[in-house]
Amino acid sequence: MPAGEHEFVVVANRLPVDITVAEDGSLDWERSPGGLVTALAPIMQKNDGAWVGWSGKVDLEHEPFDAEGMRLWPVTLSGDEVARYYEGFSNATLWPLYHDVIVPPEFHRTWWNTYASVNRRFAAAAAEAVAPGGTVWVHDYQLQLVPSVLRLLRPDVKIGFFNHIPFPPLEIFTQLPWRQQVVEGLLGADLVGFQRPGDAANFLRAVRRLTDLQVRGPQVTIPGRWSRPDRTVRAQAFPISIDAESFDQLARTPEVVERAKRIRAELGNPDVLLLGVDRLDYTKGIRHRLKAFGELLEDGQLRIPEACMVQVASPSRERVDQYRQLRDEVEVTVGRINGDYGTLGRAAVHYLHHSYPVEEMAALYVAADIMLVTSLRDGMNLVAKEYVAARSDLGGVLVLSEFTGAADELTHALTVNPHDIDGTKATIMRAVGMEKKEARRRMRGLRRRVLEHDVQRWADDFLGYLAMSVPTPPEMGTVAAQPTTPEQSTEAASGTDGRTATRTRKQEAP
């Protein structure tokens, strides 16, 4: 496979643009919102970078094209592949498994085979795009096999992988029938990044249990072969963040400040405005949050209309059964609370099941007295950091689940165990009654952390570590052949430059 021309290549499930297809078949696009694109765009533009990802449209075939100062390489997915690779294995197997089995994961061999096949296609596109000796940065749980396949195809390049969601404890991870293949897939990278130190430790423990490789501290040694020396894989935490300065500036604009005042007025100028902002996902603890708020109203500790809650729950994975069921449960709970405690013209909970532009979200953050982040398990939770970045007035109190990656950094927040409803209620009331001086002190500390450790620093830290790794020089003009079956891609492509260096201590059939 000939080398490409791009020194820096990002591989992610989705392209950084939203593509629309006109009736005449022509394509149009606009940039997707998100901190990852913001952080990587300058690097991509400086290094003539390329971004490999799915367009989001089923069966859409398109040649690579230029957008936002980078080359975009669409990977075509069929409807069956989306159902099995994305909705199936990624979001009905890996997502619940990696989030502490809040709902039971499903294990289907057909899903796994499609997952492996799609990962090979992403790896092949990256191998075609990257220049000799270039850098490839692979993102997230949908593409955990890409590093090992890419290592076979292009042993000359540096490969980084970042897992945006938690990596589960060994006792949970080993439930996955294809656990060894996933570990070997990740070991194809030179650097494997995680949100929290505990996630990196979980991965290294899995390597020790499932392989015979040497693990010392954060490094795994992959034995060399023939003229190729040993190489090392480093696993380390790199907590992701947001474009904090831009969000801070946006929240200061007169339009956002005025909109925040109107929001409070439209809600009846309550004494206490509580806010929740999430994707509608069972990991976010929305039901726990509503239960705590409903009981505070029942106990008489909070009253309507002096207090009210706004819950933004943007649509998510609506073709997956568990998400449709969650929406029904949340809406029933909201209706019950409003029926029991709402007054004429004043709802207890204002439930909003759609997405909003970033300007409206910033206004909501500025308007809210208390931000409730009650995730049951979260890799990071960037909503908490957005709220902090928006509060240049040093107002507001952040109530933050201890099960988020953000809790490791945002130590000035009030932390809760969302499973402890009584504890959550007590913490909410502590936030309600907090003296302004203490609230300002806490917010000042939170803002210092968020503004200093922004998404650009995250990208610089990761790529700085990756740059220090030295890949094995390839034989000039030769690269390994692309695997053709799921078994070849996941068992042979183990991050050892052509051979399987890891050996399971126990073999079992899926």
Side-chain angles (χ1 to χ4, degrees):
M1 179 177 291
E5 59 185 19
H6 302 282
E7 294 292 335
F8 183 63
V9 175
V10 169
V11 186
N13 178 61
R14 288 291 299 272
L15 290 172
V17 297
D18 294 324
I19 295 177
T20 56
V21 182
E23 293 183 359
D24 62 0
S26 62
L27 297 183
D28 194 11
W29 55 266
E30 61 180 17
R31 180 169 173 171
S32 302
L36 184 62
V37 184
T38 301
L40 298 183
I43 303 171
M44 307 281 280
Q45 294 161 2
K46 180 179 179 181
N47 295 283
D48 188 25
W51 190 302
V52 174
W54 175 43
S55 67
K57 304 293 183 182
V58 171
D59 293 323
L60 177 62
E61 296 187 13
H62 198 278
E63 292 298 315
F65 62 98
D66 295 321
E68 294 291 329
M70 64 188 86
R71 190 75 164 167
L72 302 188
W73 288 63
V75 174
T76 302
L77 297 180
S78 69
D80 284 343
E81 286 173 330
V82 172
R84 294 176 180 176
Y85 147 76
Y86 182 69
E87 295 171 356
F89 196 79
S90 293
N91 291 321
T93 301
L94 292 176
W95 181 268
L97 187 76
Y98 281 32
H99 287 85
D100 292 354
V101 196
I102 295 171
V103 302
E106 300 179 42
F107 304 112
H108 300 289
R109 284 170 289 183
T110 55
W111 289 1
W112 162 254
N113 290 338
T114 304
Y115 180 84
S117 175
V118 170
N119 271 242
R120 289 199 306 275
R121 199 177 312 155
F122 275 83
E128 185 178 354
V130 66
T135 296
V136 178
W137 193 359
V138 186
H139 288 268
D140 225 359
Y141 65 104
Q142 301 98 341
L143 302 174
Q144 292 177 107
L145 307 183
V146 168
S148 60
V149 180
L150 183 60
R151 177 70 57 187
L152 283 177
L153 298 174
R154 294 295 304 276
D156 59 303
V157 302
K158 294 183 178 71
I159 303 172
F161 181 92
F162 187 79
N163 197 58
H164 291 257
I165 69 173
F167 194 89
L170 180 65
E171 294 76 12
I172 292 178
F173 179 67
T174 51
Q175 296 178 39
L176 184 68
W178 308 278
R179 61 205 187 173
Q180 182 192 357
Q181 292 95 317
V182 169
V183 166
E184 291 179 349
L186 294 173
L187 288 173
D190 298 293
L191 177 62
V192 184
F194 299 92
Q195 299 281 23
R196 311 179 80 170
D199 297 327
N202 287 342
F203 172 70
L204 292 169
R205 189 179 172 206
V207 174
R208 291 189 188 96
R209 169 70 179 276
L210 300 174
T211 79
D212 292 328
L213 296 174
Q214 183 183 71
V215 181
R216 288 188 175 179
Q219 295 193 149
V220 182
T221 299
I222 309 293
R225 187 185 186 195
W226 298 315
S227 62
R228 292 172 181 164
D230 294 356
R231 69 179 184 88
T232 59
V233 180
R234 185 179 184 91
Q236 183 171 326
F238 297 89
I240 198 171
S241 192
I242 63 171
D243 186 1
E245 183 178 352
S246 295
F247 211 95
D248 175 46
Q249 293 175 355
L250 173 65
R252 294 173 185 261
T253 60
E255 294 81 6
V256 168
V257 172
E258 181 58 32
R259 176 58 184 151
K261 293 178 181 178
R262 291 203 308 272
I263 288 173
R264 292 191 69 96
E266 290 167 6
L267 294 172
N269 287 313
D271 297 331
V272 179
L273 173 56
L274 300 96
L275 175 64
V277 175
D278 312 87
R279 284 188 308 105
L280 188 59
D281 191 290
Y282 51 76
T283 65
K284 300 301 183 181
I286 299 173
R287 289 171 296 185
H288 298 65
R289 182 184 314 158
L290 290 170
K291 182 175 179 62
F293 181 62
E295 289 191 7
L296 287 171
L297 295 174
E298 181 181 2
D299 298 343
Q301 297 185 68
L302 293 177
R303 297 179 183 277
I304 306 300
E306 289 82 5
C308 73
M309 179 178 176
V310 173
Q311 175 62 59
V312 178
S314 58
S316 175
R317 301 167 188 165
E318 295 187 302
R319 293 174 58 179
V320 179
D321 288 341
Q322 293 96 330
Y323 289 81
R324 291 196 295 265
Q325 181 180 346
L326 174 64
R327 178 179 180 180
D328 291 342
E329 293 173 354
V330 167
E331 292 178 353
V332 166
T333 302
V334 169
R336 183 180 299 119
I337 293 173
N338 283 334
D340 289 343
Y341 306 107
T343 62
L344 190 61
R346 292 287 182 265
V349 180
H350 298 262
Y351 173 71
L352 308 168
H353 181 60
H354 46 89
S355 300
Y356 284 93
V358 65
E359 295 82 5
E360 184 74 0
M361 295 311 305
L364 280 167
Y365 293 144
V366 173
D369 300 297
I370 299 172
M371 183 78 213
L372 299 176
V373 178
T374 56
S375 305
L376 307 180
R377 192 78 164 92
D378 223 335
M380 177 52 61
N381 195 283
L382 297 180
V383 164
K385 294 188 175 184
E386 289 177 350
Y387 179 70
V388 170
R391 298 312 299 250
S392 60
D393 61 349
L394 302 183
V397 180
L398 174 62
V399 175
L400 181 62
S401 168
E402 63 188 66
F403 303 121
T404 64
D408 288 354
E409 298 181 87
L410 305 184
T411 55
H412 288 82
L414 298 182
T415 56
V416 295
N417 173 359
H419 298 284
D420 177 6
I421 300 299
D422 286 338
T424 300
K425 289 163 57 181
T427 303
I428 291 174
M429 292 310 300
R430 181 184 172 190
V432 170
M434 184 176 292
E435 293 185 1
K436 184 174 293 188
K437 182 178 180 181
E438 181 184 356
R440 290 175 63 85
R441 176 183 62 80
R442 287 178 174 273
M443 185 57 68
R444 187 178 291 110
L446 291 170
R447 284 179 56 78
R448 185 181 305 113
R449 175 70 189 188
V450 170
L451 291 171
E452 290 179 357
H453 294 78
D454 63 359
V455 70
Q456 191 60 59
R457 179 167 174 174
W458 165 77
D460 291 345
D461 286 348
F462 185 95
L463 294 173
Y465 269 93
L466 182 58
M468 292 189 293
S469 66
V470 181
T472 304
E475 298 177 12
M476 293 303 295
T478 63
V479 292
Q482 182 182 3
T484 57
T485 69
E487 289 75 16
Q488 288 174 314
S489 70
T490 57
E491 294 178 12
S494 59
T496 60
D497 302 332
R499 73 183 183 92
T500 303
T502 59
R503 295 181 289 275
T504 30
R505 304 182 188 281
K506 296 181 182 180
Q507 296 285 348
E508 61 269 312

